[in-house]
Amino acid sequence: MVVNKPDLTVAIGDWQLANPIMTASGTFGYGAEFADFVNLNRLGAIVVKGVSVKPRIGNPPPRIVETACGMLNAIGLENPGIDKFLTEKMPQLQNFTCGVVVNILGDSLEEYCTLAERLKETAIAAIEVNISCPNVKKGGVAFGTDARMVYEVTRCVRERSNKPIIMKLSPNVTDIAAMAAAAEEGGASAVSLINTLLGMAIDIRTRRPKLANKVGGLSGPAIKPIALRMVWQVAQRVKVPVIGIGGISTVEDVVEFLLAGATAIQIGTANLINPGVAEELVDGLENYLLENKIAAVKELINGLLA
Amino acid sequence: MVVNKPDLTVAIGDWQLANPIMTASGTFGYGAEFADFVNLNRLGAIVVKGVSVKPRIGNPPPRIVETACGMLNAIGLENPGIDKFLTEKMPQLQNFTCGVVVNILGDSLEEYCTLAERLKETAIAAIEVNISCPNVKKGGVAFGTDARMVYEVTRCVRERSNKPIIMKLSPNVTDIAAMAAAAEEGGASAVSLINTLLGMAIDIRTRRPKLANKVGGLSGPAIKPIALRMVWQVAQRVKVPVIGIGGISTVEDVVEFLLAGATAIQIGTANLINPGVAEELVDGLENYLLENKIAAVKELINGLLA
Amino acid sequence: MTMHAKAKHQLQGEIREISCRDEYCRMTIAAPAICHVAAAGQFVMVKPAADKSNDPLFRRPFSLHQVVDGLLTIIFKIVGRGTRNLAKMQAGEVLDVVGPLGKGFQLSSEPRHYLVGGGMGIAPLHLLAESINRQNPQSEIIALLGARTARELDAFADLQDLRFLRVELATDDGTAGHHGLVIDLLERAVAAGGRGAVYSCGPWPMMKAVALYCRAKQLPCQVSLETVMACGVGACLGCAVSGADVAGDGYLHVCKDGPVFEAGKIWL
Amino acid sequence: MTMHAKAKHQLQGEIREISCRDEYCRMTIAAPAICHVAAAGQFVMVKPAADKSNDPLFRRPFSLHQVVDGLLTIIFKIVGRGTRNLAKMQAGEVLDVVGPLGKGFQLSSEPRHYLVGGGMGIAPLHLLAESINRQNPQSEIIALLGARTARELDAFADLQDLRFLRVELATDDGTAGHHGLVIDLLERAVAAGGRGAVYSCGPWPMMKAVALYCRAKQLPCQVSLETVMACGVGACLGCAVSGADVAGDGYLHVCKDGPVFEAGKIWL
Ligand SMILES: Cc1cc2nc3c(=O)[nH]c(=O)nc-3n(C[C@H](O)[C@H](O)[C@H](O)COP(=O)(O)OP(=O)(O)OC[C@H]3O[C@@H](n4cnc5c(N)ncnc54)[C@H](O)[C@@H]3O)c2cc1C
Ligand SMILES: Cc1cc2nc3c(=O)[nH]c(=O)nc-3n(C[C@H](O)[C@H](O)[C@H](O)COP(=O)(O)OP(=O)(O)OC[C@H]3O[C@@H](n4cnc5c(N)ncnc54)[C@H](O)[C@@H]3O)c2cc1C
Ligand SMILES: Cc1cc2nc3c(=O)[nH]c(=O)nc-3n(C[C@H](O)[C@H](O)[C@H](O)COP(=O)(O)O)c2cc1C
Ligand SMILES: Cc1cc2nc3c(=O)[nH]c(=O)nc-3n(C[C@H](O)[C@H](O)[C@H](O)COP(=O)(O)O)c2cc1C
Ligand code: FES
Ligand code: FES
């Protein structure tokens, strides 16, 4: 009997991914950090740590706190800036045969546009736009919490770039589907969600916040139910592909997100706990399809029954 | 040496509580369910399961799912309705010497007003208004996600009632402090937060949502960091007392919420896991104050250092 | 403390014995206060006392299998994380136990009793058989036990040894007793032995078949249901099942109104 | 798999020995691939392999205490949930181990070496002493070990037994050695024995005192830092500490740039 290998490929617009398993920005460094644990070329794509126009040293420590089934982080988007990124990180990223997605962030609309422009000549697979950052010109309200701003950032990045544009949505909103719709209208190729939920922890001994930044982003298994609900809501609202993120650490988690409507998924915090997890999930997903006699992973996408 | 008992009392307006430990609506039945495990009279207050104008049979099963450090529930606000509540539940509630708070919910502004009116003649300590319910007249958008509606519900309940009014806020919003401000403007005596976060879980075998209602409310330790952040934000914005809710299960949790600005706290999911927890936390808090030589729990409230 | 006699207790019970064979475990816990008021068909909810982890979060419910001299025994199958953690515990360690919970079996005054159990649903039948026998030593008690395979039935060897009990077995794979369903045993036993009160605990398809059979034959029938539970004390309303007349009665709650119900009261 | 030789490994290591006395535990794990490339001052991050709980979530970091024949030993103190769970493990059980991680100690070519350890910070000094001795058996190695009390020092009895080592002790409560701080021992030892390379691991106040003393005396000094860690591989940037010139250098990352740093490179 011939056992056919299941088809793991998925597509985001014209971009074909070998499989739907990606790594989430900020949790996988620039890929190289995990080269000893994972065969990077087996992943659907890797998303690098967020890059800004100027270098950022990030927030003072402490920057991370363990919480119940999750963690808070307030890294403060530490990164070398786009210049150093292009000269020092890009060359090694080009050795990987899997797709490389560059996550960008800005304090103003112009910064996002500039970053899109600067990435034009690179061989990257896509740009992911982190709009959870505060807009310094609009009093620090995050771009991602206002549909109008989501639309504007998307349009500008879309116009200045020749790459697929993935808009990464913030969950700290009343109606995330409205943000997804704004991104779609602005010309996004896909939306990814969720970024972290704003949280806090207090050291009762010192009576100070456990994070120097006071508040930070909650991630990990704790947030999975929220992320899954949002992915499901967004997938019903928009036609562009949805990339599911939030607390994914097992094959079951991956399948849940695909059924809820995700075309691909990203693994975040789980990489930090189990550095081999991304490749394990590629294998695990293939086995799951084999065992359940599902010929192609595409059959799972949006497969939720009523 | 004389060891003075620390002062555990807190005040919500004119209402004096023996201590800041309350139980959260929907997780403590009508008190009687826990009488074998907890001396109810030692609690600051108990909040009963939400009551509506008409009886509700609730959602079909399955109604609950265990998640990472949390749970999803879609009980569907099952309750006997205000008539039966007043005749069958109220008499036994009046045996308790601790404060009794009645949680109310409606599908329309009128229903909230009616419920406030109906509770006038009772000896309850306060009314807590659950505004996470969908407003059937406004297309099912939850009352608690629109500052205007929050204001209107608060005002109406305030006008029709002679009791302290606690507005219970939904966390599924972009700016919960704005909702708190609207409640304060409407005349709320206090705000309590958070209610559950909307979440989802999927059974990959059946490819159906694990809850018959598809989505449900996430509660438990998983959500504590989000709840704490929101309590802190709200406490900075409003002058009325804030009641902290979300994932509280230990004395450390209680102290964190008090430091963040809560005047009192409610224990929800933890009651389900450990039926004796509420009284344990009253004892635990007293011991904490003794050990740390803090004369009064009030000293902890808003005690976060910068 | 309120001065009424407590019907339910939360206590720290020392594990006196635990043994697992394959995925089946038997655990005996010192829990005098609970044993004192326990009845057949009731259950306990447990969590390792030293466990400070919130994942998994819920306590796990188990039927009372045996209650002797302040010691209670549960028999459980390892199916997931909660039961795996319990199986790892050792004698001397402490379990946080809440119980006894729910409404147990009503002991019928019929002279003949059919105890129909499937898989882990056999667990409560031991205490039930003893209770019926104690109430009326003249009672004829027939236990009809089904399982996937003989190994599963071995977990209940002590039940099969009760002298006042007649036991018949059925297995899906034919490794013990009748090669087939336990409902076949019930039909045969009633045909041969005559009418009696029926008590059933096991997988839903089995209990449904038993309940429908009893309805047709007009035999009194009680079934013991399982649902996911958070509190076990009637507070969260999470354990709802449809009543016989959904529109009229709304939902019943397994932890409070059950786990044992008259078959006629629930939606089959 | 990429074809480069791996510097880090993730492996399932069987626990060969574990023993706890009071709150101090010693655990030996089979981890040949890690031992093969390990250096003094590096660390591993571990999690029980069978642990499917997400609470606590993070792996826990521990210094390499000893590395012999493919077996690695860690010594840890039970301080919270993670270490309590580890202490409950038994020989034969499997630990998921990631390592070796970080940059270890630079072995100085000085003829004299002062190893200054406090509390659990003593753990990495065993492998360090052996490494220095292996590199140059003529080296003079002086270990100055401080702890709250003698019991804590007992956890490191094997270090005190190394024949090529001179050991001096200090305890806060005077139950062993000098009744006072380990920095006192260092000052005396240098005064008596002369200049040398200083390596320090322990509580921050101790290391700061050592670093400031070395700066004053212009002795080469390395310190090994601890921070909360999520990944341990330089990916999350969670383990930041301030560099000596905060404005210029920004932050250093303990898991990647350290845990061992030249004292002059960090903000004291
Ligand atoms: C009243 C009652 C009595 C029971 N008596 C026994 C008994 O005597 N022996 C025995 O082996 N089992 C019994 N069960 C089933 C037992 O509670 C489950 O097998 C156990 O909770 C599984 O936990 P887990 O973590 O190993 O499995 P998981 O599948 O990881 O559990 C996930 C969640 O589902 C719940 N769950 C899983 N299976 C069941 C089930 N069958 N019924 C209810 N909830 C479930 C768990 O409690 C948990 O909340 C009883 C259940 C109920 C409701
Ligand atoms: C590079 C490095 C090497 C270490 N080597 C050793 C060693 O050899 N022996 C030893 O006993 N301890 C060592 N530690 C400290 C050890 O990692 C902590 O004691 C342990 O993580 C505590 O976990 P817990 O769950 O028991 O405590 P909890 O207090 O419950 O832990 C809560 C969180 O804080 C973190 N944490 C707590 N204490 C520390 C600490 N001192 N340093 C870093 N993170 C901490 C935990 O990892 C966890 O994320 C080392 C730490 C680092 C960073
Ligand atoms: C330490 C850390 C750093 C992160 N940095 C970024 C970032 O630079 N840009 C970004 O868009 N998201 C960042 N994220 C968010 C993750 O990409 C992801 O959206 C989030 O963690 C939820 O997924 P998870 O639960 O699987 O971790 C970061 C998350 C963590 C934990
Ligand atoms: C089973 C269940 C039922 C609930 N029912 C109600 C309700 O009727 N009214 C209400 O305002 N909140 C209800 N809640 C929300 C809780 O009161 C509380 O706000 C929430 O669970 C967060 O707190 P926790 O994390 O401590 O559980 C319910 C929560 C649970 C778990
Ligand atoms: S399990 Fe909570 S009401 Fe039954
Ligand atoms: S712990 Fe993640 S970068 Fe150091």
Side-chain angles (χ1 to χ4, degrees):
Chain A
M1 207 185 88
V2 183
V3 178
N4 286 317
K5 276 213 157 215
D7 173 12
L8 287 178
T9 61
V10 296
I12 293 178
D14 295 338
W15 175 30
Q16 294 284 330
L17 287 82
N19 63 65
I21 313 286
M22 310 170 59
T23 58
S25 178
T27 66
F28 208 66
Y30 300 93
E33 291 85 346
F34 288 82
D36 282 348
F37 306 109
V38 168
N39 179 346
L40 300 167
N41 295 330
R42 291 208 53 215
L43 305 182
I46 66 176
V47 184
V48 301
K49 174 73 188 164
V51 181
S52 53
V53 174
K54 295 255 169 293
R56 294 191 182 214
I57 64 167
N59 288 328
R63 290 180 172 186
I64 53 174
V65 185
E66 193 177 37
T67 68
C69 291
M71 65 179 286
L72 287 167
N73 90 77
I75 306 302
L77 299 164
E78 173 179 342
N79 80 89
I82 187 73
D83 292 340
K84 255 197 174 168
F85 173 78
L86 289 175
T87 54
E88 292 180 12
K89 302 293 182 187
M90 210 50 220
Q92 63 183 24
L93 285 167
Q94 267 147 4
N95 294 334
F96 307 149
T97 58
C98 73
V100 170
V101 178
V102 176
N103 179 285
I104 62 171
L105 61 112
D107 282 336
S108 64
L109 184 60
E110 293 71 46
E111 289 193 357
Y112 283 107
C113 310
T114 304
L115 288 161
E117 191 85 47
R118 296 289 306 275
L119 288 163
K120 261 192 175 162
E121 307 300 307
T122 62
I124 62 174
I127 293 177
E128 182 179 61
V129 185
N130 177 1
I131 48 174
S132 295
C133 317
N135 181 346
V136 293
K137 300 213 176 138
K138 296 241 169 121
V141 177
F143 285 94
T145 60
D146 181 308
R148 183 81 222 155
M149 289 199 277
V150 172
Y151 171 79
E152 278 174 18
V153 175
T154 313
R155 228 185 52 163
C156 182
V157 172
R158 173 68 293 162
E159 281 169 3
R160 307 286 191 93
S161 176
N162 50 357
K163 313 282 182 207
I165 303 299
I166 303 165
M167 297 304 291
K168 182 165 179 181
L169 306 179
S170 164
N172 302 298
V173 296
T174 308
D175 184 2
I176 196 167
M179 304 301 150
E184 181 173 51
E185 205 189 319
S189 320
V191 291
S192 62
L193 62 147
I194 59 174
N195 211 315
T196 54
L197 285 143
L198 211 54
M200 188 177 195
I202 295 174
D203 183 332
I204 65 168
R205 215 179 31 78
T206 62
R207 298 198 180 177
R208 290 181 197 281
K210 286 190 181 169
L211 295 169
N213 188 52
K214 291 187 182 149
V215 296
L218 183 67
S219 63
I223 69 167
K224 199 194 82 175
I226 303 169
L228 190 68
R229 181 264 297 180
M230 289 183 164
V231 163
W232 177 71
Q233 287 179 327
V234 166
Q236 289 173 297
R237 178 79 167 266
V238 299
K239 291 197 190 61
V240 294
V242 176
I243 300 169
I245 322 173
I248 297 174
S249 71
T250 67
V251 173
E252 290 70 41
D253 296 338
V254 173
V255 176
E256 280 190 76
F257 276 86
L258 297 175
L259 290 172
T263 295
I265 60 90
Q266 294 180 12
I267 303 163
T269 302
N271 292 309
L272 311 179
I273 313 304
N274 176 7
V277 70
E279 193 175 355
E280 281 172 23
L281 292 188
V282 174
D283 290 334
L285 185 60
E286 182 165 319
N287 286 339
Y288 177 83
L289 296 175
L290 269 177
E291 277 166 23
N292 291 277
K293 303 193 175 46
I294 299 167
V297 77
K298 291 188 197 83
E299 293 175 26
L300 291 174
I301 299 166
N302 238 318
L304 190 69
L305 301 178
Chain B
M1 206 186 88
V2 182
V3 179
N4 286 318
K5 275 214 158 214
D7 173 10
L8 287 179
T9 61
V10 296
I12 293 178
D14 294 338
W15 176 30
Q16 294 283 330
L17 287 82
N19 62 65
I21 312 286
M22 309 170 59
T23 58
S25 179
T27 66
F28 209 66
Y30 299 93
E33 292 85 346
F34 288 81
D36 281 348
F37 307 108
V38 168
N39 180 347
L40 300 167
N41 294 331
R42 292 207 53 218
L43 305 182
I46 65 176
V47 184
V48 301
K49 173 73 187 164
V51 181
S52 52
V53 174
K54 295 254 170 293
R56 295 191 183 215
I57 64 167
N59 289 328
R63 291 180 172 186
I64 53 174
V65 185
E66 194 178 35
T67 68
C69 291
M71 67 180 283
L72 287 168
N73 89 78
I75 306 301
L77 300 165
E78 174 180 343
N79 81 87
I82 187 75
D83 292 339
K84 254 195 174 168
F85 172 79
L86 289 174
T87 54
E88 292 179 12
K89 303 293 182 185
M90 212 49 220
Q92 65 182 23
L93 286 166
Q94 267 147 4
N95 295 334
F96 307 148
T97 58
C98 73
V100 171
V101 177
V102 177
N103 179 286
I104 63 172
L105 61 111
D107 283 336
S108 64
L109 185 59
E110 293 71 45
E111 290 193 355
Y112 284 107
C113 311
T114 304
L115 289 162
E117 191 85 47
R118 296 290 305 275
L119 289 163
K120 260 189 175 166
E121 306 302 308
T122 62
I124 61 175
I127 293 177
E128 182 179 62
V129 185
N130 176 0
I131 47 175
S132 295
C133 318
N135 182 345
V136 292
K137 299 211 176 136
K138 295 239 169 122
V141 177
F143 284 94
T145 59
D146 180 306
R148 184 80 224 156
M149 289 199 278
V150 173
Y151 171 80
E152 279 174 20
V153 174
T154 313
R155 226 186 53 163
C156 182
V157 171
R158 175 66 293 161
E159 282 168 3
R160 307 287 192 93
S161 177
N162 50 355
K163 314 281 182 204
I165 302 298
I166 304 164
M167 297 303 292
K168 182 164 179 181
L169 306 179
S170 164
N172 301 298
V173 296
T174 307
D175 183 2
I176 196 166
M179 304 300 150
E184 181 172 50
E185 206 189 319
S189 321
V191 291
S192 62
L193 60 148
I194 59 176
N195 212 315
T196 54
L197 285 143
L198 211 54
M200 189 177 193
I202 295 174
D203 182 332
I204 65 169
R205 214 177 34 76
T206 63
R207 298 198 179 177
R208 291 179 195 281
K210 286 189 181 170
L211 295 169
N213 188 51
K214 291 187 183 148
V215 297
L218 184 67
S219 64
I223 69 167
K224 198 193 83 175
I226 302 169
L228 190 68
R229 180 266 296 181
M230 289 184 165
V231 163
W232 177 70
Q233 286 179 326
V234 165
Q236 289 172 298
R237 179 79 166 264
V238 299
K239 291 195 192 62
V240 294
V242 175
I243 301 169
I245 321 172
I248 298 174
S249 71
T250 67
V251 173
E252 290 70 41
D253 296 338
V254 173
V255 176
E256 280 190 76
F257 276 86
L258 296 175
L259 291 172
T263 295
I265 60 90
Q266 294 180 11
I267 303 162
T269 301
N271 293 309
L272 311 180
I273 311 306
N274 176 7
V277 70
E279 193 175 355
E280 281 172 22
L281 293 188
V282 175
D283 290 334
L285 185 60
E286 181 164 319
N287 286 339
Y288 176 84
L289 295 175
L290 269 177
E291 277 165 23
N292 291 278
K293 303 192 174 49
I294 300 167
V297 76
K298 291 190 197 79
E299 292 175 26
L300 291 174
I301 298 168
N302 238 321
L304 190 70
L305 303 177
Chain C
M1 275 293 145
T2 44
M3 292 313 286
H4 70 284
K6 290 188 185 184
K8 304 181 191 116
H9 299 266
Q10 178 173 18
L11 56 79
Q12 310 290 303
E14 189 186 296
I15 297 176
R16 290 297 172 77
E17 275 177 44
I18 173 165
S19 63
C20 296
R21 214 179 118 187
D22 304 315
E23 63 265 47
Y24 304 99
C25 299
R26 160 185 295 260
M27 188 190 263
T28 298
I29 310 143
I34 292 175
C35 292
H36 194 67
V37 287
Q42 288 189 302
F43 64 99
V44 289
M45 293 194 75
V46 306
K47 194 163 189 166
D51 184 359
K52 296 285 170 268
S53 176
N54 292 300
D55 186 38
L57 184 68
F58 291 165
R59 281 168 189 271
R60 297 298 191 246
F62 299 99
S63 302
L64 301 175
H65 172 69
Q66 238 180 312
V67 167
V68 180
D69 294 338
L71 299 177
L72 77 79
T73 299
I74 58 175
I75 296 199
F76 63 91
K77 181 173 177 178
I78 303 175
V79 298
R81 288 194 301 164
T83 46
R84 205 174 306 123
N85 288 345
L86 289 174
K88 270 194 250 156
M89 294 188 77
Q90 291 168 6
E93 289 191 291
V94 176
L95 209 59
D96 189 313
V97 192
V98 176
L101 300 174
K103 296 211 171 69
F105 292 102
Q106 288 290 115
L107 303 190
S108 163
S109 53
E110 297 264 345
R112 196 173 298 111
H113 305 258
Y114 294 102
L115 280 48
V116 189
M120 286 298 112
I122 299 172
L125 300 186
H126 193 285
L127 187 56
L128 175 60
E130 288 185 325
S131 303
I132 295 171
N133 179 253
R134 196 175 312 120
Q135 178 186 265
N136 177 5
Q138 310 311 320
S139 304
E140 186 185 347
I141 313 179
I142 303 108
L144 309 168
L145 311 180
R148 244 186 291 272
T149 177
R151 266 190 320 126
E152 198 162 18
L153 291 171
D154 290 348
F156 301 99
D158 59 346
L159 175 64
Q160 301 177 42
D161 289 345
L162 287 181
R163 46 157 192 78
F164 51 81
L165 203 64
R166 204 175 81 220
V167 176
E168 292 182 32
L169 306 177
T171 50
D172 295 349
D173 64 0
T175 47
H178 169 62
H179 187 162
L181 300 177
V182 74
I183 181 77
D184 305 337
L185 298 183
L186 178 63
E187 290 179 15
R188 276 192 232 160
V190 173
R195 302 178 58 80
V198 177
Y199 312 79
S200 181
C201 186
W204 180 238
M206 180 205 97
M207 285 199 292
K208 188 169 169 180
V210 169
L212 289 173
Y213 169 79
C214 291
R215 183 194 285 176
K217 295 278 172 187
Q218 296 194 299
L219 299 177
C221 179
Q222 299 173 52
V223 293
S224 178
L225 302 187
E226 286 184 8
T227 60
V228 175
M229 289 185 180
C231 71
V233 301
C236 73
L237 309 180
C239 59
V241 290
S242 294
D245 173 8
V246 186
D249 308 348
Y251 299 102
L252 299 167
H253 300 94
V254 174
C255 78
K256 186 180 58 173
D257 308 316
V260 179
F261 296 90
E262 276 179 46
K265 291 276 167 67
I266 56 168
W267 186 256
L268 292 182
Chain D
M1 275 294 147
T2 43
M3 294 311 288
H4 71 283
K6 291 186 183 185
K8 304 181 191 115
H9 299 267
Q10 177 174 17
L11 56 78
Q12 308 292 303
E14 190 187 295
I15 298 175
R16 291 298 173 77
E17 277 177 43
I18 172 163
S19 62
C20 297
R21 215 180 118 187
D22 303 318
E23 63 266 46
Y24 304 99
C25 299
R26 157 185 297 261
M27 188 190 265
T28 299
I29 310 144
I34 292 175
C35 293
H36 195 67
V37 288
Q42 288 189 301
F43 64 98
V44 288
M45 291 194 77
V46 306
K47 194 163 188 166
D51 186 358
K52 297 287 169 267
S53 176
N54 292 301
D55 185 40
L57 184 68
F58 291 165
R59 280 168 190 272
R60 297 298 190 248
F62 299 99
S63 301
L64 301 175
H65 172 69
Q66 239 182 307
V67 168
V68 182
D69 295 337
L71 299 176
L72 77 79
T73 298
I74 59 175
I75 296 197
F76 64 91
K77 181 173 177 178
I78 302 175
V79 298
R81 287 195 299 163
T83 45
R84 204 172 308 124
N85 288 345
L86 288 174
K88 270 193 252 157
M89 293 188 76
Q90 293 169 3
E93 288 191 289
V94 176
L95 209 59
D96 188 313
V97 192
V98 175
L101 301 174
K103 296 212 172 68
F105 292 101
Q106 289 289 115
L107 303 189
S108 163
S109 52
E110 297 264 344
R112 195 174 298 109
H113 305 259
Y114 295 102
L115 281 47
V116 189
M120 286 298 111
I122 299 172
L125 301 185
H126 193 285
L127 186 56
L128 175 61
E130 287 185 326
S131 303
I132 295 170
N133 179 255
R134 197 175 311 121
Q135 177 185 265
N136 178 4
Q138 310 310 321
S139 305
E140 185 184 346
I141 314 180
I142 302 107
L144 309 167
L145 311 180
R148 245 186 290 271
T149 178
R151 266 191 319 125
E152 196 162 17
L153 291 170
D154 290 346
F156 301 98
D158 60 345
L159 174 65
Q160 301 179 43
D161 289 344
L162 287 181
R163 43 156 195 79
F164 50 80
L165 201 66
R166 204 176 83 221
V167 176
E168 293 184 29
L169 306 177
T171 50
D172 294 348
D173 64 359
T175 48
H178 170 61
H179 188 163
L181 300 178
V182 74
I183 183 77
D184 304 338
L185 298 183
L186 178 63
E187 290 181 13
R188 279 193 231 157
V190 173
R195 304 178 56 78
V198 176
Y199 312 78
S200 180
C201 186
W204 180 239
M206 179 205 98
M207 286 198 292
K208 188 169 169 178
V210 170
L212 290 173
Y213 169 78
C214 291
R215 185 194 284 177
K217 296 279 173 188
Q218 296 195 299
L219 299 176
C221 179
Q222 300 172 52
V223 293
S224 178
L225 302 187
E226 287 184 8
T227 61
V228 175
M229 290 186 179
C231 72
V233 301
C236 73
L237 310 179
C239 59
V241 290
S242 295
D245 173 7
V246 186
D249 306 349
Y251 298 103
L252 299 167
H253 300 95
V254 173
C255 78
K256 185 181 58 175
D257 307 317
V260 180
F261 296 90
E262 278 178 43
K265 291 277 167 64
I266 56 169
W267 185 258
L268 291 181

